[in-house]
Amino acid sequence: MPSAAAASEADDPTPVSPADVRRTLLIIGGAEDRIGRSVVLKRFVKLAGGRRSRLVIIPTASSFATEVAEAYRDVFTRLRGGEIAVVDPRTRRDSGDAQMIADLDAATGVFLTGGSQVKLSQNIVGTPVGEAVLRAYARGAVVAGTSAGASIMSRFMISLGEEGVTPRQRSSQISAGLGLVEDIIIDQHFDQRGRYGRLLAMVAASPNLLGMGIDENTAAEIRDDRRMTVVGAGAIFLVNARNAITDAAEARRGAPLLVSGAVVHTLPTGSTFDLDAVELTDFVERHPDIEGAVVPATVRAARTAAH
Amino acid sequence: MPSAAAASEADDPTPVSPADVRRTLLIIGGAEDRIGRSVVLKRFVKLAGGRRSRLVIIPTASSFATEVAEAYRDVFTRLRGGEIAVVDPRTRRDSGDAQMIADLDAATGVFLTGGSQVKLSQNIVGTPVGEAVLRAYARGAVVAGTSAGASIMSRFMISLGEEGVTPRQRSSQISAGLGLVEDIIIDQHFDQRGRYGRLLAMVAASPNLLGMGIDENTAAEIRDDRRMTVVGAGAIFLVNARNAITDAAEARRGAPLLVSGAVVHTLPTGSTFDLDAVELTDFVERHPDIEGAVVPATVRAARTAAH
């Protein structure tokens, strides 16, 4: 549920009609390329307005917030972003700071870095800074997050869990996220950390939620809560357990879960997916020799090898 | 396709009618418990006839064939198996040995150990020993295999591949297996080695084949090529990509594959599955306090922790 402020702005019959506002999320699976062609981060800067953008970096998830904020400032500057501010509430009380709110209210792009998503739950969710992020999204600023910054976008956020392919009872834990994404549980570093099992266990217990696993150096670009395209070197994994048979209500702690009949989608760059209908709407093969390929194969292979 | 000998026996209108012969496979995902309650291996001995069984161990996949054969001889003796012979062709020429064939033709149970499945392709598939294994299966002897011994059962056998959740083009390789299982690709150590991606890549390219991933210390017991039950501590994973949209014909080497709309099943002990219809037919929750549980929870947890 959007905050009261965002809801009133959305309901308000202002000059900005719903048809004019394109709401955009860029949800990144962590470890995105920051030194090469930086396809994913370049996309963020472009979506935020390029040279005319006003970017806000929120490094609060990180234990090295100052250093991380400076690193992203350098990247966004190299990628020809516009003005850059840093909003870093270290406590829940910090999150009422007037300058922070003013920066967010002026932003065309907000970027949440990696670190611990629980720090973001602690210091941002349900605070004035958190509400300003929701407002920014509602008025058309792009909101991006990587790793912990990706997880926090879900209403139901995975805060910790185990690795592996087989889903197991009570193998992970849900905390309260920002709720920019209402009906999807987001997991990151998906391929690299083998998180298929924990994501499946989550949606087995809550089949109304779609499971989304995002690989490193890969992003889900979501427009208006519905239309998803894939950016970057890896893939987006989706699982729909709405019609699956499970024993999530009965299985013992640690036991492998029965999940029979879930539908899965692995979506590389070139995919367009309808998150409401839960179906692929378009796919364009990105060959390296075809103009418009997001990353040439040689670059992509080198990039992948580097992680 | 069964060997000529097996086919003629199966087609022959002998006193052994098809209704009397129950063909049984026990396909084990590796690292099965050999020192505790040994639920999986105990099932093998029971299916083979217990004290009246005549067991043949084929340790040819292993680099330490003699030691491995002796270890299994000890376990099967402890589990009250009957007579035990070892058949170990070290070369393709060895596989014509009359004593080996005689042992297999008398067997009520055949057990293929772990090691390298390519050694089994080299020394057994298409040889008289291989044909004797097919004949044993056709006349009702239980054929079991673990790890490499599981993989070799497929007609299309995964001989090598990479780890990870995201399916990638050309991430694994198929060789020729025994063909005890015709339309299923079998992978093992499934949860423990994160083999979801490579299995999905295989069935994306060959959607007529069902993908089966078996966890360690877990077995698929398959009757008459169709009815599967699950034995042991982990789960059996199945993926059906027959109606999935993929770009397996186009994707570049190493690229993440598009696989949209595959149907997956994770099946713990207590599951009964129809492999022809590709659907769950029954499930009984195995609570530790209910009589008939395959492994009590405390034992299972300890067993799992040990691997």
Side-chain angles (χ1 to χ4, degrees), chain B residues 6-306:
Chain B
S8 69
E9 186 170 299
D11 295 344
D12 201 348
T14 56
V16 181
S17 70
D20 292 316
V21 176
R22 295 193 71 180
R23 288 167 301 150
T24 308
L25 298 173
L26 191 70
I27 315 178
I28 309 166
E32 73 282 355
D33 173 27
R34 286 195 248 163
I35 53 174
R37 284 191 59 196
S38 308
V39 170
V40 172
L41 296 178
K42 187 181 279 179
R43 182 72 186 153
F44 167 65
V45 171
K46 183 178 180 187
L47 287 167
R51 288 184 187 280
R52 296 182 306 281
S53 63
R54 293 184 302 278
L55 306 178
V56 169
I57 299 165
I58 301 181
T60 307
S62 176
S63 301
F64 309 96
T66 308
E67 294 81 351
V68 166
E70 285 315 296
Y72 277 106
R73 185 193 288 276
D74 291 348
V75 182
F76 294 149
T77 301
R78 176 172 71 76
L79 297 174
R80 302 182 180 178
E83 294 170 29
I84 300 172
V86 175
V87 165
D88 182 22
R90 302 288 177 97
T91 67
R92 220 168 160 81
R93 178 169 294 184
D94 280 358
S95 281
D97 182 84
Q99 183 60 49
M100 292 185 186
I101 308 303
D103 285 342
L104 284 165
D105 280 343
T108 62
V110 177
F111 191 92
L112 296 138
T113 74
S116 161
Q117 53 261 51
V118 178
K119 278 196 179 176
L120 295 172
S121 305
Q122 300 277 303
N123 298 330
I124 289 183
V125 174
T127 70
V129 159
E131 290 178 6
V133 174
L134 297 177
R135 275 201 304 280
Y137 174 64
R139 67 172 155 68
V142 55
V143 179
T146 186
S147 193
S151 294
I152 196 68
M153 292 194 187
S154 306
R155 166 77 52 206
F156 296 93
M157 179 186 82
I158 300 186
S159 48
L160 56 85
E162 294 160 16
E163 300 192 0
V165 172
T166 293
R168 291 181 181 277
Q169 186 77 312
R170 300 181 64 177
S171 57
S172 48
Q173 183 179 298
I174 292 282
S175 300
L178 271 174
L180 289 160
V181 177
E182 201 55 74
D183 299 324
I184 301 175
I185 296 188
I186 298 165
D187 212 345
Q188 15 79 359
H189 300 281
F190 191 70
D191 180 35
Q192 290 75 13
R193 299 190 188 172
R195 288 173 164 178
Y196 174 91
R198 80 184 204 181
L199 188 60
L200 219 69
M202 288 285 123
V203 297
S206 304
N208 65 308
L209 304 175
L210 203 62
M212 178 183 289
I214 308 180
D215 288 353
E216 294 183 352
N217 198 20
T218 306
E221 180 178 330
I222 302 178
R223 291 288 181 135
D224 298 326
D225 300 329
R226 176 160 189 168
R227 182 174 178 275
M228 180 177 82
T229 54
V230 183
V231 181
I236 308 283
F237 172 85
L238 292 172
V239 53
N240 178 359
R242 287 165 194 168
N243 296 314
I245 301 165
T246 88
D247 69 338
E250 294 185 298
R252 285 169 293 101
R253 182 184 195 125
L257 281 171
L258 173 74
V259 187
S260 179
V263 181
V264 296
H265 308 264
T266 297
L267 308 168
T269 182
S271 308
T272 308
F273 199 91
D274 184 325
L275 292 169
D276 273 0
V278 196
E279 64 181 27
L280 187 74
T281 45
D282 192 26
F283 180 73
V284 179
E285 186 71 49
R286 300 292 194 190
H287 286 294
D289 49 341
I290 290 175
E291 196 181 358
V294 172
V295 190
T298 48
V299 175
R300 190 179 300 183
R303 198 87 24 101
T304 305

Side-chain angles (χ1 to χ4, degrees), chain A residues 114-125:
Chain A
S116 160
Q117 53 261 51
V118 177
K119 277 195 180 177
L120 295 171
S121 306
Q122 300 276 304
N123 298 330
I124 288 183
V125 174

